[in-house]
Amino acid sequence: MKELVERIKKDGQVLGDGVLKVDSFVTHQVDAELMEKIGKRFAEVFADQGITKVVTIEASGIAPALYAAQALDVPMIFARKAKSLTMDEELLTSSVYSFTKQVTSQISISKKFLSEGDTVLIIDDFLANGQAAKGLVELCQQAGASVSGIGILIEKSFQDGRELLEEMGLKVVSLARIASLKNHTVEFLEEDA
C-alpha cells in the first residue's frame, strides 16, 4: 500500500537493526485517515472470504482492525493483555512473546464473542517473529472458529514470522514489507496489497 510505505519513509525512525518506530502515526498517535484507508484495503482483499469477525490484539492493532470491521460490516474483537475486573466469564487464553517489549503476555478473549461458526480476519500492526498472530490464531482455534487470513500493516520480512504463519496454512497479506533496517535505513520489498 503506497500511502503506508510513503508514510514510513517520511515519519518512521529506525532505532536499531530490528526496531522501526512508527509512533507518530500507528503505535501511539494514530493517523485516523490512514487507518481508515488501511482498513478498507484489508476489507477489499478479504471481501470474498465470508468474514464474520475481525480479531486483533490491544492496542496498536485496534484502529486498523476497527476500520476493516466497519468496511466488512462485522464486529471487531480485541484480545486483552490483562484481565479486567469485568471479565468474569470463561476466557480463551494464549501466551504471546513481544519482541519489542521483551515480555510474555497472556492474551484473552471472552468465549461469548467468538464461536465455531465464525470466519475470522486477524489484523495486526507488525509481523516480526509471528508470535502475536500465532497467539490470536490459537484463540480462534480454541473457539472452533476458522481463520481466513492475517492482515499486517508492517512486516519485518527479514524475520521469520511470515514463514511460521504460512507453515500453519495461513494467508498473510502485508501492506508494507521491510527487507532490512540496517544502517538506520528502511529497505522495502514489494508489498502484498
Side-chain angles (χ1 to χ4, degrees), residues 7 9 30 35-36 40 47 50 58 88 91 103 105 132 146-147 156 163 165 180 185 190:
R7 189 64 180 271
K9 288 177 182 177
V30 177
M35 292 303 118
E36 184 175 22
K40 286 180 178 177
E58 66 177 345
D88 57 356
L91 300 175
V103 296
S105 301
S146 62
V147 176
K156 296 176 184 177
E163 182 180 344
L165 298 173
S180 170
T185 303
E190 186 174 338

Side-chain angles (χ1 to χ4, degrees), residues 46-97:
F46 291 96
D48 62 348
Q49 299 295 306
I51 304 297
T52 61
K53 302 273 173 73
V54 174
V55 173
T56 192
I57 190 168
E58 66 177 345
S60 301
I62 292 174
L66 184 59
Y67 282 116
Q70 181 181 37
L72 290 165
D73 195 26
V74 300
M76 183 274 290
I77 304 167
F78 65 90
R80 294 179 175 260
K81 292 181 185 171
K83 184 180 175 191
S84 75
L85 293 174
T86 62
M87 289 182 79
D88 57 356
E89 61 275 343
E90 289 187 65
L91 300 175
L92 307 165
T93 61
S94 182
S95 295
V96 172
Y97 177 74

